[in-house]
Amino acid sequence: MTPAELPPSLHIDAARARVRLSPADPAFFQDPYPAYRAIRRSCPLFLWEDYGHLCAADAATVDALFRDRRFGREAPGRPPPPERVKPFHDLDALSMLEREPPAHTRLRRLVTRAFVFRAVERLRPRIERVVDALLDALPDRGTVDLLPAYAEPIPVVVIAELLGVPAADAPHLLDWSHRMVAMYRPGRTRADEDAAVAATLAFSAYLRDHLAERRARPREDLLTLLATAPEGEITPDEAVANAALLLNAGHEATVHAIGNAVAAVLGSGLDPAALFATPALTAATVEEALRFEPPLHLFTRTCLEPARVAGTAFRPGDRVGLLIGAANRDPARWAAPDGFDPARAPAPHLGFGGGIHFCLGAPLARLELEVALPRLFARRPGLRSADAPRFADRYHFRGLDALRVTLG
Ligand code: HEM
């Protein structure tokens, strides 16, 4: 690594384990890995001054923190959010992702059976049909942006059908969720906040209508499960919040997991026909893509009781960021971690988190990738990148702005 590769905004004070680094520095969000490497070498648990809290950049600490029950997603004692963003936070706070046991256990148990491997596997023929229809619609030759033409529609249609909302509403779902996830963007503006609140209100009203409809006329879908569960298992507001979580979590990350994986395969120079030759090789390629370019790079935890981790003392209320993207390139866990090598010795990556909040949708996301990637490369063997991949200015959500490819 040469200093020239490092983002200009990066300053590492190794002695005090403090780092300054702007998440909006284009050199960083285009390629965060040289900075991660330099930080991990100097001070793997460090104060990221731009966020104002500690962050962990090595696999062992990130893994340990995901599983450590002395840290949680709930943050008791944190000052309430400003009144103008309250509707967003009120909805968010009732989702299982923001709760700890026993509420987390109660909410997750209710929907788990829809997401276990066997239940998800039943969706395979439907996912294949969605994917094939999109491939049929691609032009014979020329240049196309595979994000809107391929990566975006697959997850939203699949999760909409699983929940039981019309797939034709996908454009609304995408619009609401894009505006809502902008709340997690570093340096978000007042306009971002207003748009997120408006989207929250519209999305909640939409879900309330659908849930009421299911209470009156149950069907075989997840919305019915949420709408008709006994009051002791889920409240009406929790049903809305968790339906919103499932719809948003169900596609935002998967879109970029597909896009990042296509870019990783094209950039690797490896032969796609070999990478996807069998289901086992396909699964290994998908796992390596999720390690190499995970779409989510930062989740936080708050300390709930005094703890000492990696030699550092934490007090209740302290926040810590878990840098998934950095952990997944830790040389202590993977040899030559900056290479895309599906044949490497497998080791558990952190792309889906860990512990009690481990991604509920992991089997579904894996299935979507295991259908979407081999079919794309089998049908379009001449696929090439049309230009260098350009990542969007959304550091936490690592995904491409566009995935322009030439179809041969
Ligand atoms: C490749 C795509 C995906 C990635 C990389 C991903 C990643 C993650 C990660 C890292 C977490 C843990 C967050 C934390 O511990 O703070 C998480 C949680 C979650 N994910 Fe995913 N996810 C993906 C797709 C999906 C899909 C398709 C669904 C379907 C509904 C989904 C639903 C959820 C839910 C409900 C949670 C919260 C679980 C809990 O709090 O117990 N995700 N995901």
Side-chain angles (χ1 to χ4, degrees):
M1 173 185 46
T2 65
E5 277 182 282
L6 293 173
S9 73
L10 175 66
H11 296 276
I12 302 177
D13 178 345
R16 293 163 64 225
R18 293 174 85 101
V19 170
R20 262 185 291 133
L21 170 62
S22 165
D25 178 342
F28 177 59
F29 68 72
Q30 285 308 328
D31 183 6
Y33 301 106
Y36 284 157
R37 198 181 319 140
I39 294 167
R40 201 188 317 98
R41 277 184 189 157
S42 313
C43 42
L45 186 61
F46 64 98
L47 176 71
W48 190 338
E49 293 184 4
D50 305 64
Y51 285 96
H53 59 67
L54 289 173
C55 285
D58 65 295
T61 310
V62 170
D63 209 338
L65 282 166
F66 266 127
R67 291 160 203 279
D68 194 328
R69 300 290 302 281
R70 295 169 301 175
F71 291 80
R73 294 278 307 173
E74 283 177 2
R78 187 161 318 143
E83 195 60 28
R84 65 172 192 282
V85 290
K86 202 169 168 298
F88 174 85
H89 286 280
D90 284 351
L91 186 76
D92 206 33
L94 291 179
S95 88
M96 73 180 91
L97 179 56
E98 302 303 330
R99 312 290 288 278
E100 292 307 310
H104 173 264
T105 323
R106 170 172 60 79
L107 295 170
R108 183 159 170 141
R109 190 190 299 130
L110 184 62
V111 291
T112 293
R113 75 184 132 91
F115 287 97
V116 296
F117 178 77
R118 253 185 321 173
V120 161
E121 197 47 42
R122 281 201 290 273
L123 301 173
R124 184 185 285 272
R126 179 66 190 125
I127 299 174
E128 288 173 349
R129 282 199 300 280
V130 171
V131 161
D132 287 344
L134 293 167
L135 289 171
D136 290 343
L138 290 181
D140 282 345
R141 46 180 44 81
T143 299
V144 66
D145 180 354
L146 282 183
L147 271 192
Y150 196 63
E152 239 180 32
I154 300 168
V156 71
V157 169
V158 172
I159 195 68
E161 291 189 354
L162 190 60
L163 262 284
V165 301
D169 289 349
H172 293 299
L173 300 174
L174 288 173
D175 177 53
W176 288 325
S177 105
H178 291 335
R179 289 196 277 151
M180 288 169 75
V181 297
M183 283 297 278
Y184 300 106
R185 215 175 111 171
R188 68 177 194 229
T189 61
R190 177 69 187 259
D192 291 334
E193 293 180 349
D194 292 346
V197 167
T200 304
L201 295 174
F203 193 16
S204 304
Y206 170 92
L207 289 170
R208 255 179 241 290
D209 285 351
H210 278 280
L211 286 161
E213 209 269 329
R214 289 307 191 285
R215 250 168 241 128
R217 275 176 294 279
R219 290 193 213 161
E220 286 285 309
D221 56 28
L222 253 173
L223 278 183
T224 304
L225 191 73
L226 293 170
T228 59
E231 178 81 27
E233 288 186 29
I234 192 164
T235 67
D237 285 343
E238 285 173 339
V240 174
N242 286 282
L245 170 72
L246 292 170
L247 279 163
N248 287 352
H251 63 82
E252 284 289 345
T254 317
V255 170
H256 293 294
I258 296 173
N260 295 356
V262 172
V265 169
L266 292 175
S268 71
L270 299 171
D271 175 13
L275 294 178
F276 300 111
T278 66
L281 290 169
T282 297
T285 304
V286 164
E287 284 318 289
E288 175 66 350
L290 290 165
R291 178 198 72 82
F292 182 76
E293 267 309 357
L296 303 173
H297 274 216
L298 169 60
F299 279 96
T300 57
R301 290 291 184 270
T302 302
C303 181
L304 303 173
E305 55 182 270
R308 178 166 278 279
V309 177
T312 299
F314 287 85
R315 282 164 316 171
D318 287 348
R319 264 184 130 187
V320 57
L322 314 188
L323 300 182
I324 292 174
N328 275 2
R329 300 277 188 115
D330 187 340
R333 194 171 278 196
W334 294 276
D338 293 314
F340 177 72
D341 177 12
R344 67 170 62 253
H349 65 75
L350 293 147
F352 289 121
I356 63 166
H357 293 285
F358 180 83
C359 178
L360 177 68
L364 177 59
R366 287 184 168 124
L367 177 61
E368 292 182 46
L369 285 155
E370 287 173 20
V371 172
L373 296 175
R375 282 173 123 76
L376 170 69
F377 286 103
R379 290 268 299 265
R380 309 310 301 237
L383 200 72
R384 296 190 310 281
S385 287
D387 41 34
R390 222 185 42 251
F391 284 87
D393 177 5
R394 273 180 325 223
Y395 159 61
H396 301 186
F397 295 91
R398 179 154 174 83
L400 296 163
D401 251 341
L403 176 53
R404 289 166 48 74
V405 296
T406 309
L407 302 165

